[in-house]
């Protein structure tokens, strides 16, 4: 995701759209579900995806009722990837990895809503991240992300618990998707 003018070689595809929020598309296109879809509908070059226009245009895109939680979490990841570690005991990549797992669960719920609710794995009702905006300074962004991460790390956190239950509650759907995208 870039929000500024850039020069890219012909080896890159640029997606510019007004139909969808581009940060939501960033979450979706980097999700385990889309990786799974591309593994079986796209082309592979060894362990790497050969992402051509053809498989991209056929990705079924479901737009969420509310983009805000997706956008907030993508903003957290973008901040973490471009700044120094915000915690002394955990690096930003580890925090980002946890946020990516949450985003995966959110995407799964968009595509498998009934299954997620039946299995007690739904998460969208529990996601209430605080947005980062232009007026938020670096220190405030760090505090917002730290607070979210600490909330997520609580042992009884509903989202964390549901992520841990994927293997037992959804072995034939979500666990299968997760295991094939590692």
């Amino acid at each position: 995701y870039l929000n500024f003018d850039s020069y890219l070689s012909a080896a890159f595809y640029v997606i510019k759209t007004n139909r969808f929020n581009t940060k939501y598309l960033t979450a979706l296109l980097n999700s385990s579900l889309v990786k799974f879809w591309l593994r079986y509908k796209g082309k592979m070059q060894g362990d790497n995806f050969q992402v051509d226009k053809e498989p991209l245009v056929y990705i079924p895109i479901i737009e969420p009722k509310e983009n805000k939680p997706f956008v907030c979490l993508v903003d957290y990841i973008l901040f973490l990837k471009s700044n120094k570690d915000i915690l002394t005991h955990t690096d930003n990549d580890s925090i980002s990895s946890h946020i990516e797992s949450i985003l995966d669960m959110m995407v799964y719920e968009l595509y498998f809503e009934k299954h997620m609710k039946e299995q007690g794995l739904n998460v969208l009702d529990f996601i209430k991240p605080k947005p980062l905006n232009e007026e938020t300074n670096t220190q405030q962004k760090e505090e917002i992300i730290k607070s979210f991460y600490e909330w997520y790390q609580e042992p009884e956190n509903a989202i964390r618990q549901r992520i841990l239950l994927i293997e037992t509650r959804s072995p034939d759907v979500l666990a299968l998707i997760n295991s094939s995208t590692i």
Side-chain angles (χ1 to χ4, degrees):
Y1 176 87
L2 298 175
N3 62 353
F4 52 86
D5 292 337
S6 301
Y7 173 80
L8 301 171
S9 72
F12 290 89
Y13 284 105
V14 176
I15 299 173
K16 292 177 89 173
T17 182
N18 292 322
R19 291 180 30 207
F20 301 102
N21 180 295
T22 52
K23 287 183 181 173
Y24 165 69
L25 282 179
T26 300
L28 178 65
L29 294 175
N30 286 285
S31 71
S32 291
L33 183 59
V34 169
K35 289 176 191 163
F36 179 82
W37 192 87
L38 287 171
R39 182 172 299 283
Y40 295 99
K41 295 289 188 177
K43 297 177 189 172
M44 299 295 291
Q45 289 182 327
D47 290 336
N48 297 318
F49 298 107
Q50 180 183 332
V51 183
D52 297 321
K53 178 185 173 189
E54 193 70 20
L56 283 178
V57 297
Y58 291 109
I59 294 172
I61 298 176
I62 294 177
E63 190 164 12
K65 294 173 191 153
E66 178 62 54
N67 276 331
K68 185 179 168 185
F70 292 90
V71 171
C72 287
L73 295 183
V74 168
D75 281 338
Y76 291 6
I77 292 170
L78 293 172
F79 179 85
L80 291 166
K81 296 286 185 185
S82 63
N83 287 279
K84 65 178 179 45
D85 288 345
I86 65 170
L87 294 171
T88 56
H89 63 283
T90 304
D91 64 19
N92 285 2
D93 287 341
S94 295
I95 298 169
S96 292
S97 179
H98 287 290
I99 295 171
E100 289 166 12
S101 295
I102 296 168
L103 281 166
D104 276 343
M105 291 293 283
M106 294 164 64
V107 170
Y108 292 154
E109 190 167 341
L110 291 178
Y111 287 81
F112 306 111
E113 183 178 10
K114 183 179 177 189
H115 175 75
M116 297 280 288
K117 287 183 178 174
E118 287 173 351
Q119 301 306 316
L121 296 171
N122 54 308
V123 296
L124 289 172
D125 291 338
F126 303 101
I127 300 288
K128 307 275 188 267
K130 188 173 179 182
L132 308 180
N133 57 47
E134 304 274 331
E135 295 81 40
T136 312
N137 67 40
T138 300
Q139 184 178 1
Q140 291 169 324
K141 289 177 182 179
E142 288 178 2
E143 290 304 318
I144 290 168
I145 296 169
K146 280 182 200 177
S147 177
F148 180 83
Y149 180 69
E150 288 166 359
W151 166 79
Y152 171 75
Q153 288 297 315
E154 292 172 3
E156 299 304 316
N157 180 285
I159 297 167
R160 187 169 182 247
Q161 291 299 316
R162 288 157 196 246
I163 290 171
L164 295 172
L165 291 170
I166 285 176
E167 296 292 323
T168 56
R169 292 195 181 170
S170 185
D172 298 330
V173 180
L174 303 182
L176 178 68
I177 293 168
N178 281 349
S179 68
S180 71
T181 59
I182 296 175

